[in-house]
Amino acid sequence: MSPVSAGRSATGQDVPPEVDVVIVGAGPVGLMLAGELRLAGVRPLVLERQAQLREIPKANGLGGQILELLRYRGLLEKFEEACTAPSHPAPRYPFGEVHVDFSPLPEPPLRGLTLPQPELERLLDERARELGAVVRRGHEVVDLTQDGTTVTAEVNGPDGRYQVTSRYLVGCDGGRSRIRELAGIAFVGATYPEVNRLGQITLPDSLAGPGAGEALDLPGRGTIKAGFTRTERGVFGYGALTPEVLLVSTTENEDAETDDNVPMTLAEFQDSVRRVLGVELPLKETIRLSRYHFQARQAERYRSGRILLAGDAAHLFPATGVGLNTGMLDAVNLAWKLAADINAWAPPGLVDTYHGERQMAGMRTMLHTQAQVALRRGQDAAADALRTLFLELFADEQPLRRIGGLLAGTDIRYPLHVYDHHALTGTFVPDFTLQTEHGTTTSVAELMQTAQPILLDLADRPELREAAREWDARVIIQTAKTRDRPADALLIRPDAHIAWTAAIDEPTNTAVLALRKALTTWFGTPRGARTEAPVSEAPQSKASTYGESDVTL
């Protein structure tokens, strides 16, 4: 690893002397990226414009694939301790203006964690600092320059202006990203006139009761059932988060653009409810308030030279509940690839696969959130018929599982081309219990806590372990057994996606050749490697999902 000198400010302010990656933005995505980089031995510096941790709860919790990734890093239990309840299946989930009911499934495909964003950021900040990341608040990046090997940020800090130079810079600075603007990356899409206001509330004793989560009797309005109620002025929605706490929302069309970073007041929320319903909604306690102006935008490129984008800087979705999942998974995908390049073992084109893989994932999220726009905005009989039809389709198991995978982001399969012969290749590795050769019990989740590549031999195939021996400085080689093994061996990337799979009883000659090619393609040529056939292609990044290889970038 070659450190990059950062220097000092004009006022003598100390700047970290060794910085590999500058991360702009200390939200969940930037802090997740900082922690992942530290696991890979890289030195990140996080620069945040705001002087203090945010108090505005832009998100009320986490859901989807990121919860499983956090469990694989050994973090989920700690996050659950900060909540009133552990992660839980989501039996019902809003989709456009309908609620999808997952309760008929034995295992709902979507899980959630009620964790307000300020608390999430506090936990991720603690983790990043414990791992050795430097986080500086009140430091705003105002300009950038880059060359073929480094990128230099001009920073306004509390004690004056200074420069910091690093190998890479990642913009995690939100939908109004200054980094995206400075990099000249177009942010194409649309801004919808809808403003969504959310409140977590408790009801006064006169309205609270066993049935409050299913229906409310409001003076002057009558009975309002849980779900969505459309009026001439907008949409009112509500549902129970707990027996005592309701999540209430309004959606209105407004011409003026709102700034979601400005805290929403209780008066603003109550005024919106009054406009939509025409009556007051009595409140006992207001727990959290937040506001979203719906946009559907995605960066044309996630990389421009040494500058990359992640999270809301790369994509904004016109529905709530999905941005954190997609953005934090961006960070996990990017971290190990940057670390490989900084540590000088990355194969050609590895960092470029970040754009291909994660823009495709963003496109999948954009697909279902824009479908929700169509369901939500329609106000005639045809739109009502469409919503009714969707609900009928969701009564069947296969479409219910499919929409659950879309919402959770678990349907993503990165296309790895020559390695795609097995259905597991390119997918997020499932967790299963393992019995090691030493008689101990472990699991895939435990093995993934260090965020290192793993060759998992499930069939005691010494020829595969020997083929990987030259990469053992980078790749953990683990022999274990599991009940009903899905394959003979799995090569698992640090982001928990499977890079290569040996089918059960796959012949040695083809398995060894494919394994060595996959190792070279994803984890570089090992030091002191024997001469072998050249690997012509860099890792590929054409977009694909199960059964949808026609999606192109």
Side-chain angles (χ1 to χ4, degrees):
M1 185 186 302
S2 56
V4 176
S5 175
R8 294 173 68 84
S9 71
T11 59
Q13 173 178 289
D14 289 330
V15 179
E18 296 180 353
V19 177
D20 297 313
V21 179
V22 168
I23 301 169
V24 182
V29 175
L31 293 170
M32 186 73 188
L33 177 59
E36 290 287 299
L37 288 171
R38 285 303 302 138
L39 287 177
V42 170
R43 295 173 286 250
L45 168 64
V46 184
L47 300 175
E48 167 57 49
R49 179 174 59 87
Q50 300 290 336
Q52 303 294 330
L53 280 163
R54 293 176 179 85
E55 297 182 1
I56 302 172
K58 295 182 68 175
N60 295 311
L62 279 175
Q65 187 73 79
I66 188 60
L67 293 183
E68 196 71 346
L69 192 283
L70 291 173
R71 188 169 71 84
Y72 283 19
R73 293 294 190 259
L75 296 173
L76 185 57
E77 184 175 349
K78 181 178 180 180
F79 283 28
E80 289 176 329
E81 290 173 355
C83 302
T84 56
S87 63
H88 54 275
R92 299 177 79 233
Y93 198 87
F95 187 85
E97 201 177 305
V98 300
H99 269 96
V100 184
D101 184 3
F102 293 114
S103 61
L105 299 178
E107 294 184 9
L110 186 63
R111 299 185 67 84
L113 184 68
T114 305
L115 184 66
Q117 185 165 332
E119 184 67 10
L120 171 63
E121 292 183 7
R122 182 187 68 79
L123 291 168
L124 290 171
D125 184 275
E126 288 178 358
R127 177 195 183 232
R129 292 176 190 270
E130 287 169 358
L131 291 171
V134 178
V135 181
R136 293 198 160 181
R137 299 183 181 275
H139 293 246
E140 181 179 10
V141 175
V142 294
D143 203 3
L144 295 173
T145 57
Q146 63 171 318
D147 54 30
T149 58
T150 62
V151 55
T152 298
E154 191 86 12
V155 186
N156 277 341
D159 299 319
R161 181 167 289 201
Y162 64 94
Q163 291 184 337
V164 58
T165 299
S166 59
R167 294 281 296 278
Y168 288 98
L169 182 143
V170 185
C172 304
D173 53 336
R176 299 174 181 238
S177 172
R178 174 66 172 157
I179 301 306
R180 186 184 61 237
E181 179 185 349
L182 290 170
I185 299 175
F187 200 40
V188 296
T191 298
Y192 295 99
E194 299 166 288
V195 176
N196 184 246
R197 294 178 173 89
L198 296 173
Q200 286 189 28
I201 66 165
T202 61
L203 296 172
D205 295 341
S206 60
L207 291 178
E214 297 297 327
L216 292 175
D217 288 319
L218 296 182
R221 178 77 196 190
T223 300
I224 297 180
K225 293 183 178 180
F228 297 99
T229 299
R230 179 176 290 278
T231 73
E232 294 180 355
R233 294 298 305 273
V235 178
F236 174 83
Y238 91 95
L241 292 175
T242 71
E244 296 80 23
V245 179
L246 298 183
L247 180 63
V248 177
S249 70
T250 63
T251 304
E252 301 177 87
N253 285 354
E254 298 182 18
D255 295 331
E257 185 174 350
T258 60
D259 185 351
D260 296 343
N261 291 313
V262 176
M264 184 174 70
T265 64
L266 177 58
E268 178 185 340
F269 181 62
Q270 289 177 315
D271 288 345
S272 180
V273 172
R274 189 183 308 112
R275 287 193 299 269
V276 173
L277 284 183
V279 298
E280 297 283 345
L281 175 66
L283 306 178
K284 179 179 180 180
E285 179 187 10
T286 303
I287 300 170
R288 284 188 291 274
L289 296 170
S290 54
R291 180 203 312 105
Y292 306 90
H293 203 132
F294 286 123
Q295 296 188 59
R297 297 185 181 277
Q298 192 167 19
E300 284 189 336
R301 294 169 289 143
Y302 283 23
R303 180 185 184 186
S304 176
R306 297 265 156 185
I307 302 168
L308 300 105
L309 303 175
D312 286 356
H315 41 67
L316 288 174
F317 305 116
T320 60
V322 295
L324 281 181
N325 182 46
T326 306
M328 291 173 70
L329 291 174
D330 288 346
V332 176
N333 182 286
L334 177 60
W336 73 273
K337 296 172 181 179
L338 290 182
D341 187 72
I342 290 166
N343 290 324
W345 58 260
L350 180 66
V351 176
D352 286 331
T353 66
Y354 167 68
H355 163 83
E357 292 180 352
R358 293 311 299 168
Q359 193 189 52
M360 178 268 287
M363 290 170 65
R364 293 293 291 167
T365 306
M366 192 68 73
L367 174 70
H368 77 75
T369 53
Q370 286 191 307
Q372 292 186 55
V373 171
L375 287 174
R376 188 174 63 231
R377 288 181 57 78
Q379 300 184 35
D380 57 13
D384 289 338
L386 180 62
R387 288 186 281 267
T388 300
L389 179 59
F390 260 72
L391 286 174
E392 288 187 8
L393 291 174
F394 292 157
D396 296 333
E397 180 174 338
Q398 193 278 335
L400 197 57
R401 291 190 180 279
R402 188 174 184 88
I403 204 69
L406 264 173
L407 289 167
T410 56
D411 70 329
I412 296 298
R413 183 190 184 197
Y414 296 141
L416 308 184
H417 296 276
V418 295
Y419 315 118
D420 274 351
H421 65 283
H422 196 283
L424 282 175
T425 306
T427 66
F428 191 93
V429 62
D431 191 19
F432 32 83
T433 302
L434 301 170
Q435 299 294 326
T436 72
E437 56 191 329
H438 304 295
T440 58
T441 300
T442 185
S443 66
V444 171
E446 289 184 12
L447 293 178
M448 293 303 305
Q449 289 190 15
T450 60
Q452 292 180 268
I454 298 170
L455 174 64
L456 183 57
D457 179 4
L458 298 172
D460 193 16
R461 296 191 58 166
E463 75 278 14
L464 298 181
R465 301 195 299 274
E466 181 58 31
R469 197 68 62 192
E470 293 172 293
W471 284 266
D472 62 6
R474 295 176 207 143
V475 180
I476 295 172
I477 300 174
Q478 176 70 60
T479 302
K481 296 188 180 206
T482 189
R483 177 181 293 184
D484 301 325
R485 74 181 190 273
D488 275 5
L490 303 172
L491 181 62
I492 308 169
R493 305 189 324 188
D495 60 357
H497 279 263
I498 299 171
W500 166 85
T501 309
I504 292 177
D505 298 328
E506 183 173 344
T508 294
N509 59 340
T510 60
V512 167
L513 180 63
L515 172 59
R516 289 182 63 83
K517 193 171 186 179
L519 285 162
T520 304
T521 298
W522 290 103
F523 307 119
T525 303
R527 295 186 182 92
R530 295 187 296 270
T531 302
E532 56 184 282
V535 179
S536 58
E537 72 268 21
Q540 300 297 304
S541 58
K542 181 183 177 183
S544 176
T545 58
Y546 287 121
E548 304 209 11
S549 58
D550 57 333
V551 179
T552 57
L553 299 181

